[in-house]
Amino acid sequence: MSSKDVSITGVEPTGQYGDVEASRASDHDGDFLTQLEDNNLARGLQQRHIQMIAIAGAIGTGLFLGLGGSIQTGGPLGALLGYATVGLIVCAVQFALGEVAALLPVTGSFVRHAEFLVDPAFGFAIGLNIVYGNLLSVPAEISAICVLFQYWTDLNPSVFICIFIVLTFLVGISFVGIYGEVEFFFAALKILLVVFLIIFGLVIDLGGIPGQERIGFRYWKTKGPFVEYIATGAWGQFLGYWAVMTNAVFSFAGVESLAMAAAETQNPRRNIPKACKKVFARVLIFYILAVLIVGMIVASDDDRLNDYSGTATQSPFVIVASAAGINAIPSVVNAVVITSAWSSSNQALLSGTRVLYGLAIKGQAPKIFLRTTSWGVPYVCVLFNTAFMFLAFMALSSNAMTVFWWLVDLTAAGVLISWSAVLVNHIRLIQAMKKQGIPHSALPFHNSWTRYSSPIALFMCITILLTGGWPTFTKGNWDSASFVSAYLDIPLVLAAFLLWKYIKGTKFVSLADIPIKEALEEVDRHVEPAEPKKTGLGRVLGFLWD
């Protein structure tokens, strides 16, 4: 591996918004796309890659295995409303991310945006939170893979841990285009399985399986559309709905990471906003249809949903298929869930390494993390993240699923913090443009309603974050581990923010001083080519990502 030049050079902005002295570039080195990124990183991700990467991150164990628990907690209608609510929040987050990322398509995405638009200390805190979260996410996913393989074999789990550590490292250290192709393939598998399961569930519900009677909306009527959770009456039903939203946030996690490798994406100002728009629609449709179907075919009080083995046996689709005598479904679902877990570990590695690289560009992480291979991969960042993969060996204990859920719960709040950061960045951008007299329509990608959706979504994110561990405060339900896992991330981010602010003496960026005109000049200077029209087979297959 060869180390390339790690000097950072700011881009001198000139053009329609006025000449700016070269010395001004040093005021925001690393805010725009740096020569370091442009020269040392390779643009190996195409539009279809980032579209499917975001889908791959959002469709995983939360959909295949977690829907049953949501039905148990909130009932069929409560779960449906919970996922729909979070889906709308995701919509606001995606469009906010698209508007800012189209203006500033840099490695690290909203982490670098946070320093540009809010405060250097805020960017450092958010970046550190993502790096730390992904350092734990990769071993968590690998430990989950071990549990999933136990569905088929009693082979020592350490074998699978070693295999998937090596595979994950090889994908992470390879040319980013290889990562894109791997994720593209697995995302296609997951989409096909979801479509199949939705159709399969509908066939079962309508009595299309020989020997099985029609179910219809029977469970909505007999068991009720809502489930009382902790409390009774209407308040208990509302709490069930609210508890589902916390689960839904984990299920949707990953869609915000599609812009992390913006400097490695071809035509990012066109492709990232397009991915934000299209991915939201696909993911929301998949989840809403899946929740609706599951609520129709499985009763909310079905004891089989209490199987916490972590394998496909707890999937509501598997429960119904097994009852119908279709024995192949459990193995198919288990296999795809394994690919989902590995896909998630690959995505966490990409996100964690690119954010760490972005922090190093800003001088917020050691310069050694700026070293890249000859094919444009930050190999020191990859090696650093790989060292933490060996935490997966904690799963060799008898309670492997406890280890997995401990790691997942420990990082769950980070998703809401990331979404909140995306929304804060967007709100600050809109305020700065208004302050400087620049129309919202000047952005490369813009929507008139995002100025209203971002504040509403931010309020919802903060509310869900602060109430994430609310069941522990109810009578007789206190659990120290649950409390810590729900709220540990909040003081960690605050401590990182205050520590960096104290050490560096940073200040909140004045709305009038945010160099939006210079950023818009960058857009004018680097006009992306028009999207070529697809013909033949490419046009036929393109429906998956276009």
Side-chain angles (χ1 to χ4, degrees):
M1 299 178 182
S2 62
S3 174
K4 293 189 177 181
D5 179 24
V6 295
S7 65
I8 303 174
T9 305
V11 179
E12 179 183 346
T14 58
Q16 75 178 78
Y17 289 101
D19 294 331
V20 182
E21 294 180 359
S23 59
R24 281 289 306 278
S26 62
D27 294 338
H28 45 77
D29 271 354
D31 288 333
F32 304 150
L33 182 67
T34 62
Q35 290 185 10
L36 180 69
E37 294 166 272
D38 206 25
N39 295 336
N40 288 14
L41 300 179
R43 293 193 181 274
L45 295 179
Q46 303 173 25
Q47 175 194 335
R48 61 186 179 89
H49 290 147
I50 62 170
Q51 292 270 14
M52 301 296 262
I53 285 170
I55 294 176
I59 299 178
T61 53
L63 177 63
F64 295 123
L65 302 182
L67 285 187
S70 297
I71 298 296
Q72 274 188 314
T73 302
L77 183 55
L80 185 64
L81 293 176
Y83 274 83
T85 301
V86 175
L88 291 175
I89 295 174
V90 171
C91 175
V93 171
Q94 288 292 90
F95 278 84
L97 177 62
E99 290 194 5
V100 184
L103 179 67
L104 301 166
V106 294
T107 299
S109 185
F110 56 88
V111 176
R112 298 261 294 280
H113 302 160
E115 179 161 352
F116 180 79
L117 295 165
V118 185
D119 188 314
F122 184 56
F124 172 74
I126 297 300
L128 195 66
N129 177 62
I130 293 176
V131 170
Y132 136 82
N134 285 302
L135 286 177
L136 295 181
S137 294
V138 178
E141 296 293 350
I142 293 176
S143 66
I145 291 172
C146 296
V147 178
L148 292 164
F149 267 106
Q150 290 173 8
Y151 180 75
W152 292 315
T153 178
D154 294 329
L155 193 64
N156 193 316
S158 61
V159 175
F160 301 111
I161 292 177
C162 292
I163 290 173
F164 280 92
I165 286 178
V166 171
L167 289 175
T168 304
F169 168 75
L170 289 177
V171 172
I173 203 68
S174 299
F175 173 61
V176 71
I178 295 177
Y179 162 78
E181 294 297 345
V182 170
E183 290 301 284
F184 181 85
F185 174 74
F186 286 134
L189 273 183
K190 285 190 271 190
I191 291 173
L192 292 174
L193 179 64
V194 171
V195 172
F196 167 74
L197 291 178
I198 289 174
I199 296 174
F200 175 70
L202 187 60
V203 170
I204 290 177
D205 183 75
L206 297 177
I209 303 296
Q212 298 292 313
E213 62 179 354
R214 184 180 183 276
I215 301 174
F217 283 89
R218 178 191 309 168
Y219 299 128
W220 286 53
K221 298 176 182 178
T222 59
K223 306 300 178 183
F226 291 96
V227 169
E228 296 178 348
Y229 184 65
I230 295 183
T232 58
W235 177 240
Q237 293 176 349
F238 173 79
L239 292 180
Y241 151 76
W242 194 262
V244 166
M245 284 203 290
T246 303
N247 298 334
V249 168
F250 173 73
S251 297
F252 280 108
V255 293
E256 75 283 354
S257 63
L258 64 90
M260 283 299 179
E264 298 166 85
T265 302
Q266 298 175 8
N267 303 318
R269 289 191 172 96
R270 183 186 72 211
N271 288 332
I272 289 177
K274 189 171 184 178
C276 290
K277 290 188 295 182
K278 300 297 178 65
V279 168
F280 155 73
R282 285 161 173 74
V283 171
L284 184 60
I285 290 173
F286 288 147
Y287 270 97
I288 296 304
L289 286 178
V291 174
L292 176 63
I293 295 297
V294 169
M296 293 167 62
I297 62 179
V298 179
S300 57
D301 61 350
D302 194 315
D303 292 335
R304 292 172 293 182
L305 295 175
N306 293 320
D307 184 345
Y308 295 111
S309 64
T311 66
T313 53
Q314 72 182 101
S315 171
F317 297 104
V318 170
I319 291 173
V320 176
S322 299
I326 304 175
N327 298 323
I329 296 295
S331 290
V332 172
V333 172
N334 201 61
V336 176
V337 173
I338 288 174
T339 66
S340 298
W342 186 42
S343 171
S344 296
S345 70
N346 289 335
Q347 187 178 56
L349 180 61
L350 179 83
S351 178
T353 54
R354 271 44 177 191
V355 169
L356 185 57
Y357 183 84
L359 290 176
I361 286 177
K362 301 294 295 184
Q364 296 171 335
K367 297 295 183 184
I368 192 172
F369 290 120
L370 292 173
R371 295 179 179 270
T372 58
T373 65
S374 58
W375 54 90
V377 173
Y379 70 89
V380 178
C381 295
V382 174
L383 290 172
F384 179 74
N385 278 259
T386 300
F388 283 82
M389 294 183 197
F390 292 91
L391 289 174
F393 280 99
M394 296 170 64
L396 294 178
S397 62
S398 58
N399 54 345
M401 276 309 293
T402 301
V403 174
F404 168 68
W405 288 114
W406 173 68
L407 290 172
V408 168
D409 290 343
L410 197 59
T411 59
V415 176
L416 286 166
I417 291 177
S418 294
W419 291 358
S420 298
V422 171
L423 295 165
V424 168
N425 292 340
H426 181 257
I427 292 171
R428 290 280 295 179
L429 175 63
I430 297 302
Q431 291 176 337
M433 294 183 75
K434 183 177 180 180
K435 179 78 172 179
Q436 298 178 28
I438 303 173
H440 188 199
S441 58
L443 292 174
F445 171 66
H446 61 89
N447 299 274
S448 59
W449 50 269
T450 54
R451 68 187 69 185
Y452 309 109
S453 62
S454 288
I456 295 173
L458 178 61
F459 171 79
M460 290 296 297
C461 283
I462 294 175
T463 303
I464 297 173
L465 175 64
L466 296 178
T467 59
W470 66 265
T472 61
F473 298 109
T474 58
K475 187 176 181 180
N477 290 308
W478 173 259
D479 181 70
S480 300
S482 298
F483 172 79
V484 171
S485 63
Y487 294 111
L488 177 63
D489 216 42
I490 298 175
L492 286 179
V493 172
L494 288 175
F497 173 77
L498 294 175
L499 184 64
W500 191 262
K501 201 167 185 62
Y502 173 75
I503 294 175
K504 297 295 183 179
T506 65
K507 297 181 180 180
F508 283 99
V509 181
S510 170
L511 293 177
D513 294 335
I514 297 175
I516 298 176
K517 292 181 180 180
E518 290 93 323
L520 290 171
E521 174 58 28
E522 280 296 291
V523 177
D524 293 337
R525 290 182 59 194
H526 301 282
V527 178
E528 296 179 352
E531 184 175 7
K533 292 185 178 180
K534 291 184 174 66
T535 59
L537 184 61
R539 184 177 182 181
V540 175
L541 296 178
F543 78 94
L544 280 174
W545 57 86
D546 286 340

